[in-house]
Amino acid sequence: MEFETRAIHAGQEPDPATGAIVTPIYASSTFVQDEVGVHKGYEYSRSGNPTRTALQECVASLEDATHGLAFASGLAASDAVLRLVLPGDHIIIPNDAYGGTYRLVARVFEPAGYAYSPVDMTSLDALNLAWRDETKLVWIESPTNPMLTVVDIAAIASFAHERGAVCVVDNTFATPYLQRPLELGADLVVHSTTKYLGGHSDVIGGFAATNDPTIAERLYFLQKSLGAVPGPFDCWLVLRGIRTLAVRMRQHCANAHAVAAFLERHPRVERVLYPGLPTHPGHTIAARQMRDFGGMISFLAESEEEAVALVARTRLFQLAESLGGVESLIEHPARMTHASTADAPFAAPPNLVRLSVGLESAEDLVEDLERALVRSATAAGT
Ligand code: PLP
């Protein structure tokens, strides 16, 4: 079945008890047993809940995975996945990884005895230089948040496999509609479902998917042992979002193309980071491994002051953290989402502005940016 069909039907049979077309919110912490150990598949909602099962089957299907596990947040999913390796092992992460991933690895895992190296993964030579005998896990993000760096997932996955490590891809920016890392050779996919999968800025959630039954079994053990599971209402919200994922992503991409083209021509914009632009260094790889280029754009304003002024001047693009919802958002990574990376190998450039291009009219969005850029210029006295 095609992606659009699976988004609406995978894991979402009409409710057998009532015929309800929409998967019910099974708001129950526990489930009755007929005899000790004899039950209808559920015992206690930390270890399993029917609304969560529907979500897990649906996202696994979209990622072409045999197994999927939902978590309370993207970082809870990342935490469980990183625990697949052990203290003493070495982890490689992108040198411009999402700030929360960096913080988790550098401030939680490293003090617990794990080693890590931040690496520029656009270069296999750099990966090779950082490699150690203890390297057990390579963490990819593509495109990255917020620099929109694109890396060759297939090449890095086979590099990792040749050396006995697992390869994980944070697919939050791309979504399974645009990019399927398991098909490209990765062992695991991780999501913040808070973003495009939920799609409406009303839920926090995470996900991990794999085709490896041994990894899946260990992850399920970690899911129930760590206990960072999403509640049934949160699962239901993500499922509802996913039903329109394909149409939303098509529009996010179309709008982002229009906004990126406008920004690239604007004299007050120093540089636009959008993988859909032929000038982007990762454009060729992105064109090969993605269906389209996504709804996230970053750009360099003329100065830090200009960037900070600009993000407060747009009206449709609202100043807020997060991304992937129907409404357009603008933010200043250095002082907002990526402030925690100030001490990291990667620091967001002070003049960087990040856009999450929503589903409003592209014309209105361009006009909003045009007005804000002109006013920034006026405020700067030019
Ligand atoms: N991965 C990426 C690329 C993200 O952008 C985020 C959040 O912004 C996360 C993971 C963490 O997800 P959550 O905020 O749902 O914990």
Side-chain angles (χ1 to χ4, degrees):
M1 271 190 287
E2 294 298 318
F3 186 93
E4 288 80 352
T5 313
R6 284 181 279 136
I8 292 168
H9 295 287
Q12 302 167 79
E13 293 298 314
D15 180 43
T18 62
I21 194 115
V22 174
T23 304
I25 301 166
Y26 285 93
S28 190
S29 58
T30 192
F31 298 83
V32 171
Q33 310 200 4
D34 299 330
E35 289 172 34
V36 176
V38 179
H39 51 73
K40 296 183 173 59
Y42 297 95
E43 297 169 322
Y44 183 61
S45 276
R46 176 160 40 72
S47 49
N49 174 282
T51 318
R52 194 164 92 220
T53 302
L55 173 63
Q56 293 182 161
E57 287 181 7
C58 183
V59 181
S61 166
L62 298 182
E63 284 289 2
D64 285 324
T66 47
H67 302 82
L69 293 163
F71 291 86
S73 68
L75 279 178
S78 303
D79 177 34
V81 166
L82 288 165
R83 285 173 200 261
L84 291 169
V85 295
L86 297 170
D89 290 341
H90 176 241
I91 299 165
I92 292 182
I93 60 170
N95 64 352
D96 63 344
Y98 161 63
T101 304
Y102 170 77
R103 185 177 54 201
L104 179 64
V105 171
R107 305 231 202 119
V108 178
F109 277 81
E110 197 193 33
Y114 296 73
Y116 78 98
S117 302
V119 171
D120 170 7
M121 293 204 206
T122 60
S123 154
L124 283 183
D125 288 342
L127 199 56
N128 200 23
L129 266 179
W131 205 270
R132 302 183 191 169
D133 290 343
E134 307 79 42
T135 307
K136 292 284 158 36
L137 189 146
V138 179
W139 187 279
I140 294 177
E141 213 181 295
S142 186
T144 55
N145 179 5
M147 295 304 282
L148 280 306
T149 306
V150 170
V151 297
D152 188 334
I153 295 174
I156 296 174
S158 68
F159 186 94
H161 291 159
E162 279 160 20
R163 291 157 182 79
V166 295
C167 174
V168 181
V169 177
D170 182 334
N171 205 26
T172 299
F173 266 34
T175 82
Y177 179 70
L178 299 178
Q179 175 172 277
R180 278 191 290 285
L182 300 182
E183 274 176 14
L184 295 165
D187 302 285
L188 279 138
V189 180
V190 168
H191 280 283
S192 167
T193 56
T194 313
K195 310 295 170 3
Y196 289 103
L197 297 190
H200 295 76
S201 307
D202 52 12
V203 64
I204 298 281
F207 205 87
T210 182
N211 279 319
D212 183 321
T214 312
I215 290 179
E217 195 181 323
R218 178 74 184 155
L219 257 189
Y220 173 62
F221 171 81
L222 288 164
Q223 183 198 41
K224 76 175 178 195
S225 303
L226 297 167
V229 291
F233 182 52
D234 289 352
C235 293
W236 184 88
L237 281 170
V238 177
L239 257 183
R240 186 171 69 163
I242 287 171
R243 294 179 144 215
T244 56
L245 180 64
V247 281
R248 282 189 289 107
M249 289 316 294
R250 288 199 278 269
Q251 198 58 42
H252 280 298
C253 292
N255 284 0
H257 278 285
V259 168
F262 160 76
L263 289 172
E264 202 179 35
R265 286 192 305 270
H266 202 284
R268 301 217 153 254
V269 172
E270 298 279 305
R271 197 168 143 222
V272 183
L273 310 176
Y274 182 60
L277 293 171
T279 49
H280 187 281
H283 177 70
T284 311
I285 295 171
R288 197 168 65 224
Q289 70 189 16
M290 297 174 77
R291 190 201 292 244
D292 203 333
F293 303 96
M296 297 300 299
I297 301 174
S298 291
F299 66 91
L300 298 172
E302 283 178 325
S303 64
E304 178 172 8
E305 296 69 42
E306 175 113 359
V308 172
L310 181 70
V311 297
R313 282 210 171 100
T314 49
R315 290 183 205 149
L316 285 178
F317 281 93
Q318 294 180 81
L319 180 56
E321 301 196 353
S322 202
L323 59 110
V326 295
E327 61 287 299
S328 292
L329 301 179
I330 190 165
E331 66 119 0
H332 183 250
R335 294 198 195 170
M336 294 171 68
T337 48
H338 289 70
S340 68
T341 57
D343 61 338
F346 162 76
N351 57 336
L352 189 76
V353 173
R354 191 190 74 182
L355 302 176
S356 173
V357 181
L359 305 184
E360 302 91 339
S361 133
E363 262 175 41
D364 290 341
L365 293 177
V366 165
E367 213 177 284
D368 191 35
L369 288 169
E370 194 159 32
R371 199 182 316 110
L373 280 160
V374 168
R375 288 185 57 196
S376 287
T378 315
T382 52

